[in-house]
Amino acid sequence: MEHVELFLKSIFIDNMVFATFLGMCSYLAVSKKVTTAVGLGAAVIFVLAITVPLNWLLDQYLLQPGALKWLGDDYADYDLSFLSFIMFIATIATMVQLVEIVVEKFSPSLYNSLGIFLPLIAVNCAILGGSLFMQSREIPSLGLATTYGVGSGIGWFLAILAIAAIREKIRYSNVPPALRGLGITFIITGLMAIGFMSFGGMLTGGDEPEVTKGTNVQEGDQEPPQVKLKENDSNTNTVVSKDLSMANSIKVNE
Amino acid sequence: MGLLSKKDAKLITDPLADNNPITIQVLGICSALAITAQLKASIVMALSVMAVLAIGNVVISLMRNIIPSKIRIIVQLVVVAALVIVVDQILKAFSYELSKTLSVFVGLIITNCIIMGRFEAFALANGPWRSFLDGIGNAAGYGLILVIVGFFRELLGSGTLLGFPVLGDPIEKTGLYSIGYENNGFMLLSPMALIVVGIIIWVQRSRNKELIED
């Protein structure tokens, strides 16, 4: 079940955009329309799903301290981890180039609509960040690395989809002039990030080190509505606990 | 007699306000948000980016006539990656706890859009001295925002600046804490960085009406 747990964790709790702010530049630039946001998000999922496991293999058999044992015993002490950055970025750039060729061949319309953003995925912090976090969190197996890559991509996709939808809607709102465009997007993303923090309790029993100070009101926290009967006020409604999401007013029957 | 001509001085002052990489060019946002919970981390990150950007700009500018156009992204990536590896090793050697705080984000300087953005927009078309100044200027603009965000987040979030308690001692209840002030722990959490940058953008665009977009 650790696959499911890692999958859910990388989508909601360690969401690439809201928890670690990776890929913000293209997130802000491409989120003006939902259709382009969907295209870019799908491309990011695809690239992450391929590069994270590839980089895991690279890390496992080449870069980690002691990884070169398979070459021979005298290579067992080599620690090439300082080369991680350049090796990861090299695999990412190569894979993106390959993805570009494949997309151009099999779906020219998608290729045209993505335009410059497909090659720009190579320098998207989300892609490199996915690999670097995979390395720093020491994910133990190839299958888990793939799950992590796909999950992170889906998390990013969810984030850009949400902000694109919201930006389309607020075009009709009365945003103060100085906040229009970039400013309000930042603030909305901040509020969404606060909202996503509420997922922190989702996989309880895990090893989450940070305790969120401002937790949102969750469904399970509320007490079941209790009606306090007042005998002498038969025609008053007792409204229980105003911050219930279902604000029912309970009429007291005589 | 000034060291820099007027045009050159503009290369440094423009990114500080009117052409700020973070708030106007919308580049380099990722690292600006994630590590600004402490002022010290912000300053170190800003200096690292300045080193990588300035030196990288000079290197690319020196090579600009011999890089084939088809592989220029790869060449830029290799130059940046090499510089970042050096910066990372220096950080690990001289300030290990800070490099743990910055963790993955030192590596993410490679994909920091400011660096690639300035390479493409400036270093490939200008001489080394001007590219150096442009690198310093943009990194200074980036650093300014980081320092502002880090300042407010650390001050309001933990009552300290660079590790020194400036509002009093929260446990002993001296200084400001004696009248009941409490640290706003929320400021230490990452979403507040987004909101602080949003407010900075708001202030900047209110002062300079030309920047308002429709």
Side-chain angles (χ1 to χ4, degrees):
Chain A
M1 274 301 107
E2 30 176 48
H3 281 270
V4 175
E5 188 178 318
L6 186 62
F7 188 62
L8 291 176
K9 195 165 174 224
S10 50
I11 298 182
F12 293 111
I13 304 180
D14 289 332
N15 187 293
M16 280 207 136
V17 171
F18 295 129
T20 49
F21 303 122
L22 300 173
M24 284 298 288
C25 308
S26 42
Y27 173 88
L28 291 169
V30 182
S31 54
K32 293 206 176 99
K33 287 185 60 173
V34 175
T35 41
T36 44
V38 169
L40 185 63
V44 166
I45 296 180
F46 191 43
V47 175
L48 269 174
I50 298 183
T51 55
V52 171
L54 261 180
N55 282 328
W56 185 89
L57 284 171
L58 211 58
D59 186 53
Q60 190 74 4
Y61 293 114
L62 198 62
L63 294 170
Q64 262 181 7
L68 287 172
K69 276 203 288 279
W70 53 275
L71 266 184
D73 267 336
D74 30 324
Y75 291 103
D77 298 332
Y78 282 27
D79 175 13
L80 291 177
S81 53
F82 67 97
L83 283 181
S84 315
F85 296 153
I86 206 163
M87 301 283 334
F88 285 173
I89 204 84
T91 39
I92 290 172
T94 322
M95 285 325 298
V96 170
Q97 189 66 42
L98 273 175
V99 166
E100 206 181 332
I101 296 177
V102 166
V103 167
E104 190 178 7
K105 184 157 204 316
F106 285 110
S107 172
S109 57
L110 179 62
Y111 183 74
N112 284 328
S113 66
L114 280 178
I116 186 76
F117 291 110
L118 196 46
L120 274 187
I121 291 182
V123 290
N124 190 336
C125 354
I127 314 290
L128 185 60
S131 296
L132 288 178
F133 274 116
M134 174 272 305
Q135 187 190 39
S136 79
R137 285 178 193 164
E138 291 173 11
I139 295 195
S141 78
L142 185 63
L144 280 177
T146 318
T147 312
Y148 178 71
V150 173
S152 305
I154 294 182
W156 199 87
F157 173 77
L158 270 180
I160 198 173
L161 187 61
I163 195 72
I166 294 179
R167 278 184 93 171
E168 275 191 0
K169 296 262 180 205
I170 62 171
R171 235 180 268 143
Y172 301 107
S173 306
N174 230 343
V175 183
L179 264 185
R180 268 183 218 149
L182 192 62
I184 198 70
T185 310
F186 265 100
I187 297 187
I188 293 178
T189 313
L191 293 172
M192 283 165 73
I194 297 176
F196 262 70
M197 277 168 54
S198 64
F199 286 116
M202 198 165 81
L203 297 169
T204 48
D207 43 11
E208 291 300 301
E210 57 172 359
V211 176
T212 56
K213 230 185 157 192
T215 47
N216 297 337
V217 174
Q218 296 173 1
E219 289 289 310
D221 283 346
Q222 296 150 358
E223 295 163 344
Q226 301 269 339
V227 177
K228 291 189 176 51
L229 290 174
K230 290 187 185 164
E231 287 92 323
N232 38 3
D233 286 282
S234 56
N235 48 359
T236 55
N237 300 333
T238 51
V239 179
V240 177
S241 156
K242 292 196 195 72
D243 52 350
L244 270 181
S245 51
M246 19 172 237
N248 296 323
S249 53
I250 299 158
K251 292 193 175 63
V252 176
N253 279 342
E254 181 68 79
Chain B
M1 183 207 75
L3 184 59
L4 303 166
S5 69
K6 204 148 186 248
K7 229 170 40 147
D8 288 347
K10 229 169 166 300
L11 284 176
I12 298 192
T13 55
D14 255 352
L16 281 173
D18 281 339
N19 202 13
N20 188 294
I22 293 188
T23 56
I24 308 292
Q25 298 177 44
V26 196
L27 302 172
I29 312 236
C30 321
S31 44
L33 302 171
I35 42 91
T36 43
Q38 295 177 28
L39 189 54
K40 193 171 175 200
S42 313
I43 296 179
V44 169
M45 177 59 109
L47 289 174
S48 313
V49 169
M50 190 178 281
V52 174
L53 184 55
I55 300 178
N57 253 5
V58 172
V59 171
I60 294 283
S61 171
L62 287 172
M63 295 203 297
R64 70 185 184 282
N65 293 322
I66 56 178
I67 301 177
S69 175
K70 282 209 184 263
I71 58 165
R72 65 176 200 281
I73 302 262
I74 301 191
V75 172
Q76 289 168 5
L77 278 175
V78 169
V79 169
V80 178
L83 285 170
V84 169
I85 291 179
V86 170
V87 167
D88 185 38
Q89 296 295 311
I90 292 180
L91 268 180
K92 279 202 185 121
F94 288 105
S95 176
Y96 190 62
E97 319 87 46
L98 202 57
S99 89
K100 279 282 168 224
T101 317
L102 291 176
S103 67
V104 176
F105 290 96
V106 176
L108 285 179
I109 297 180
I110 300 179
T111 49
N112 191 328
C113 332
I114 298 182
I115 302 192
M116 300 287 287
R118 292 328 284 173
F119 282 179
E120 290 276 317
F122 204 87
L124 280 179
N126 288 280
W129 173 239
R130 300 197 73 221
S131 303
F132 179 73
L133 291 177
D134 178 77
I136 298 275
N138 274 283
Y142 169 83
L144 181 67
I145 301 289
L146 245 68
V147 164
I148 294 178
V149 176
F151 177 80
F152 281 111
R153 280 184 78 191
E154 191 178 354
L155 184 64
L156 296 174
S158 30
T160 62
L161 277 181
L162 290 176
F164 299 112
V166 293
L167 294 180
D169 191 327
I171 304 174
E172 316 268 319
K173 297 278 180 237
T174 60
L176 213 52
Y177 295 99
S178 57
I179 57 170
Y181 172 79
E182 292 282 346
N183 282 330
N184 184 353
F186 211 30
M187 275 289 187
L188 293 175
L189 300 174
S190 21
M192 285 314 287
L194 281 164
I195 297 184
V196 171
V197 176
I199 296 178
I200 294 178
I201 294 178
W202 196 359
V203 167
Q204 188 181 27
R205 291 192 183 187
S206 307
R207 299 180 63 199
N208 185 349
K209 298 268 190 284
E210 292 165 23
L211 298 168
I212 294 178
E213 47 181 298
D214 281 316

